[in-house]
Amino acid sequence: MALRSEQDFLTLIDRYFPPSGSPAGRQADLVRPEHVLLGRGDDCAVLRCPGQICMSADLFLEDVHFRRSYFLPEDVGYKALAVNVSDISAMGSRPLGFCLQLFGPSDVPQDWWEGLFAGMAGLADSLHLPLVGGDLSRGPNIGLALTVWGEAVEDGRFLSRQTARPGDHLFLVGEVGLARVGLMALENAGRQACRDLPRATSAHLRPVLHVEQAMHLGKLDFVRGLMDVSDGLAMDLPRFLPSGLGADLDPQAVDIDPEVVDYATRLSEDPLLFALAGGEDYALLGVAAPEASGELTRAVPDARVIGRVVERPGLFLAGRPAQIAGFDHFTG
Amino acid sequence: MALRSEQDFLTLIDRYFPPSGSPAGRQADLVRPEHVLLGRGDDCAVLRCPGQICMSADLFLEDVHFRRSYFLPEDVGYKALAVNVSDISAMGSRPLGFCLQLFGPSDVPQDWWEGLFAGMAGLADSLHLPLVGGDLSRGPNIGLALTVWGEAVEDGRFLSRQTARPGDHLFLVGEVGLARVGLMALENAGRQACRDLPRATSAHLRPVLHVEQAMHLGKLDFVRGLMDVSDGLAMDLPRFLPSGLGADLDPQAVDIDPEVVDYATRLSEDPLLFALAGGEDYALLGVAAPEASGELTRAVPDARVIGRVVERPGLFLAGRPAQIAGFDHFTG
């Protein structure tokens, strides 16, 4: 049964995201009570804020960012929130709350919407993240527009881009290349790709977040900068480094999942170059003072140093230039 | 010429919304420098915040909220931002900044996008409102998802709904009914309706905001509550009043534009009932302590008392029940 009215939708949303302040609400003990002063249902939400917040807003649109043919509705709800939270983690920050603007055609069955809300609420609950407001509308296909905000873990300390210095160590938290394999396999074979390539398809459908690691990195003063790798490491590195600087990666240091190795090899492509072209990895890419590498990996064991910042612009592998095409949601 | 890449779009957006901090930026002297600490171009924006903010997020979608056949692109850009800012005014608050998520098909010409940004930037500049971030994507038709936030004019004072008491005076800032006439005429006759019904069509295409009046109302302690009338006064009144209470309106006190009177009369409808059914009025509806009516209209001359809160649920006209259908973007 499709949902007929805005009120049907609001009732369903309240079931999965109980209004803040509601004593019986599933989120009631999770939400830090001081943040949401007035929740959904008025013209605005009212939030109690720390002195500084970071904020990001990402679209998640059918047939651009996901397909209903191989995304479960739970995956759509999960991933739409995850890719937004990843931007908060990319600042080394703690997520605080989010807004959801949602639209779709009238023939989408209620079960599908329930799956979407269940997938999103599962992630939101695990992060203690309240849904504070948003909007609903009919539309020609399904789309989600989320806005997420967060706070610095240490006062005023947000890890930005363009902060690297020559000689700094580059590090990664998370995998690169796996989500690209997942996307290609799902586009080719649909949902049955999940059996053959469980890790790659999961990396595309339900990217792993690094929320705790990011908050840890936000406290380390030798970590100079951070971003999330959403368009592939090769395309994102030049956005991360100040102009004039480049990256020299150690080919042995970049972990490549066996599913990526197999898939790239079957395509007669070099697995490392394939992984660096990536796309939708949602790994964290960081830069740290070189003398602190040992301390970094002790403090955040998932962080792996993959190379260093050099004074030549470009991407190098053990000193030799690498040319790899990236990934662009806009033209892609 | 259509825009080919995300970078083309970002360049165009930077032209209309110069990045905060840029000394040559058109907005540079308008944006209060303390709010935006890190603008567009990183994973998140970083904002310096007052202790409390209010926030709202509204969709503005082609063929749901606007049609390209009779909206100029400048109107689309203006109205998408205006309807969002109206929610900040509905709290009696001062708008501080906004995010824009934008999508559309690849065959929309660059001129059209420039018109949209020009219309939006014109309003944003007049309100000193920085565009701090967002997202871009291809999509099957044009859509905008905005998130806007604001601050209380007096510390912690946000005017919410559900605050009226029996005997309170109801007041309006702005027109009701005019935008509904504009929508109907534009749907019937397209852009040429603008000649016959200039005020009604303008009310639909470029709703007048009441930002200054709202900030004034936010300071008046006898103003108990406020909302913006977006779905018609008849549908929004029950959302505004605490359950168990109703509204008794004075039919003489509700200003009805002659364009509404003419249009309703030609449809053999009662002009007042037609105006109360409204839709997309973006007037402000408020409630004030009855003893302060004189003070209210001296402080905010645009505020007109239109009736009072009564202890019977429902909508009454000079004591007699009125039944009027409202307006729902979701099913409409």
Side-chain angles (χ1 to χ4, degrees):
Chain A
M1 194 197 77
L3 293 164
R4 302 250 160 250
S5 71
E6 187 163 354
Q7 193 51 55
D8 288 351
F9 252 96
L10 294 175
T11 303
L12 192 63
I13 289 171
D14 282 348
R15 178 141 41 98
Y16 283 93
F17 301 92
S20 310
S22 134
R26 185 168 44 144
Q27 287 197 319
D29 56 332
L30 301 178
V31 177
R32 297 193 300 154
E34 72 270 22
H35 185 52
V36 182
L37 298 173
L38 179 66
R40 301 191 302 274
D42 214 300
D43 296 283
C44 285
V46 177
L47 307 174
R48 183 173 290 145
C49 279
Q52 298 181 12
I53 60 171
C54 61
M55 185 186 285
S56 179
D58 272 346
L59 292 162
F60 199 64
L61 305 180
E62 185 174 7
D63 294 333
V64 179
H65 302 92
F66 71 91
R67 289 195 204 283
R68 267 192 275 173
S69 58
Y70 57 73
F71 267 76
L72 300 179
E74 288 81 358
D75 298 333
V76 173
Y78 172 93
K79 187 169 177 180
L81 179 55
V83 301
N84 275 276
V85 168
S86 182
D87 280 319
I88 303 298
S89 293
M91 308 299 283
S93 302
R94 175 192 291 116
L96 281 177
F98 71 108
C99 285
L100 168 65
Q101 295 156 292
L102 177 65
F103 55 91
S106 54
D107 60 359
V108 177
Q110 174 163 347
D111 277 1
W112 198 93
W113 293 117
E114 292 209 25
L116 181 145
F117 293 131
M120 186 175 287
L123 178 58
D125 283 1
S126 75
L127 298 173
H128 307 189
L129 209 58
L131 172 62
V132 307
D135 195 14
L136 293 168
S137 178
R138 292 279 176 231
N141 50 15
I142 294 170
L144 299 92
L146 280 83
T147 304
V148 192
W149 53 95
E151 66 180 341
V153 178
E154 296 219 332
D155 227 22
R157 185 164 160 77
F158 295 95
L159 297 173
S160 61
R161 307 181 184 184
Q162 314 281 333
T163 50
R165 301 177 203 168
D168 277 356
H169 283 186
L170 288 159
F171 65 88
L172 270 185
V173 177
E175 304 262 5
V176 295
L178 205 49
R180 184 185 180 199
V181 169
L183 172 61
M184 291 173 75
L186 288 160
E187 284 285 308
N188 285 336
R191 192 87 196 162
Q192 73 183 49
C194 297
R195 275 181 306 185
D196 303 330
L197 295 160
R199 289 190 304 281
T201 50
S202 177
H204 180 71
L205 298 169
R206 289 195 166 243
V208 172
L209 290 175
H210 311 286
V211 174
E212 293 296 329
Q213 294 95 328
M215 287 165 58
H216 215 124
L217 292 168
K219 287 186 213 162
L220 301 175
D221 57 7
F222 55 79
V223 173
R224 289 204 231 278
L226 200 65
M227 79 177 285
D228 76 329
V229 181
S230 56
D231 291 338
L233 197 57
M235 191 179 250
D236 283 335
L237 263 168
R239 298 169 175 162
F240 183 55
L241 299 174
S243 81
L245 300 187
D248 188 12
L249 304 187
D250 172 3
Q252 309 304 318
V254 181
D255 276 345
I256 316 239
D257 189 280
E259 288 187 6
V260 178
V261 175
D262 286 356
Y263 200 87
T265 305
R266 268 188 279 147
L267 296 175
S268 308
E269 290 202 36
D270 177 78
L272 176 61
L273 296 180
F274 185 95
L276 296 180
E280 301 199 85
D281 298 308
Y282 302 107
L284 296 174
L285 169 66
V287 74
E291 63 277 12
S293 282
E295 212 177 326
L296 169 68
T297 48
R298 273 192 302 278
V300 182
D302 293 337
R304 295 182 316 281
V305 174
I306 57 164
R308 62 197 179 87
V309 178
V310 294
E311 283 187 84
R312 284 181 298 174
L315 175 58
F316 305 90
L317 295 172
R320 297 178 54 188
Q323 280 295 340
I324 308 162
F327 186 81
D328 183 344
H329 262 139
F330 197 79
T331 53
Chain B
M1 193 196 78
L3 292 163
R4 302 249 161 252
S5 72
E6 187 164 354
Q7 192 50 55
D8 287 352
F9 251 97
L10 294 174
T11 303
L12 191 64
I13 289 172
D14 283 347
R15 178 142 39 99
Y16 283 93
F17 301 92
S20 310
S22 134
R26 187 168 43 145
Q27 286 197 319
D29 56 332
L30 300 177
V31 177
R32 298 193 300 154
E34 71 271 22
H35 185 51
V36 182
L37 298 174
L38 179 66
R40 302 191 301 275
D42 214 300
D43 297 283
C44 285
V46 177
L47 307 174
R48 183 173 289 146
C49 278
Q52 296 182 14
I53 61 172
C54 61
M55 185 186 284
S56 179
D58 272 347
L59 291 163
F60 198 64
L61 305 181
E62 185 173 9
D63 294 331
V64 179
H65 303 92
F66 71 91
R67 288 196 203 281
R68 268 192 273 173
S69 59
Y70 57 74
F71 267 76
L72 300 179
E74 288 81 358
D75 298 332
V76 173
Y78 172 93
K79 188 169 177 180
L81 179 56
V83 302
N84 275 276
V85 169
S86 183
D87 280 318
I88 303 297
S89 293
M91 308 298 284
S93 301
R94 174 191 291 117
L96 281 179
F98 71 108
C99 285
L100 168 65
Q101 294 156 292
L102 177 64
F103 54 91
S106 53
D107 61 357
V108 177
Q110 175 163 346
D111 277 1
W112 198 94
W113 293 117
E114 291 209 25
L116 180 145
F117 293 131
M120 185 175 286
L123 177 59
D125 283 1
S126 75
L127 298 172
H128 306 189
L129 208 57
L131 172 61
V132 307
D135 195 15
L136 294 167
S137 178
R138 293 279 175 231
N141 50 15
I142 295 170
L144 299 92
L146 280 85
T147 304
V148 192
W149 54 95
E151 66 180 340
V153 178
E154 297 218 330
D155 227 21
R157 185 164 160 77
F158 295 94
L159 296 173
S160 61
R161 307 181 184 185
Q162 314 279 334
T163 50
R165 302 176 201 168
D168 277 356
H169 282 186
L170 288 158
F171 65 89
L172 268 184
V173 178
E175 304 263 5
V176 295
L178 203 49
R180 183 185 180 199
V181 169
L183 171 62
M184 292 172 76
L186 287 161
E187 285 284 308
N188 285 336
R191 191 86 197 162
Q192 74 184 48
C194 297
R195 277 181 305 186
D196 304 330
L197 295 160
R199 290 190 304 281
T201 50
S202 176
H204 180 71
L205 298 169
R206 287 194 166 243
V208 172
L209 290 175
H210 312 286
V211 174
E212 293 297 329
Q213 295 94 328
M215 286 166 56
H216 216 123
L217 292 167
K219 287 186 214 163
L220 301 174
D221 58 6
F222 53 81
V223 173
R224 288 203 231 278
L226 200 65
M227 79 178 283
D228 77 328
V229 181
S230 55
D231 292 337
L233 197 57
M235 191 178 250
D236 283 334
L237 263 168
R239 298 169 175 162
F240 183 56
L241 299 173
S243 82
L245 301 187
D248 189 11
L249 304 186
D250 172 3
Q252 309 304 317
V254 181
D255 276 345
I256 315 238
D257 188 280
E259 289 187 5
V260 178
V261 175
D262 287 356
Y263 200 87
T265 305
R266 268 188 279 148
L267 296 175
S268 309
E269 290 202 36
D270 178 79
L272 176 62
L273 296 180
F274 185 95
L276 296 180
E280 301 200 84
D281 297 309
Y282 301 106
L284 296 174
L285 170 67
V287 74
E291 63 277 12
S293 283
E295 212 177 326
L296 169 67
T297 49
R298 273 193 302 279
V300 182
D302 293 337
R304 298 181 314 280
V305 173
I306 58 164
R308 62 196 179 88
V309 178
V310 295
E311 285 187 84
R312 284 181 298 173
L315 175 59
F316 305 91
L317 295 172
R320 298 177 55 187
Q323 280 294 341
I324 308 162
F327 185 82
D328 183 344
H329 262 139
F330 198 78
T331 53

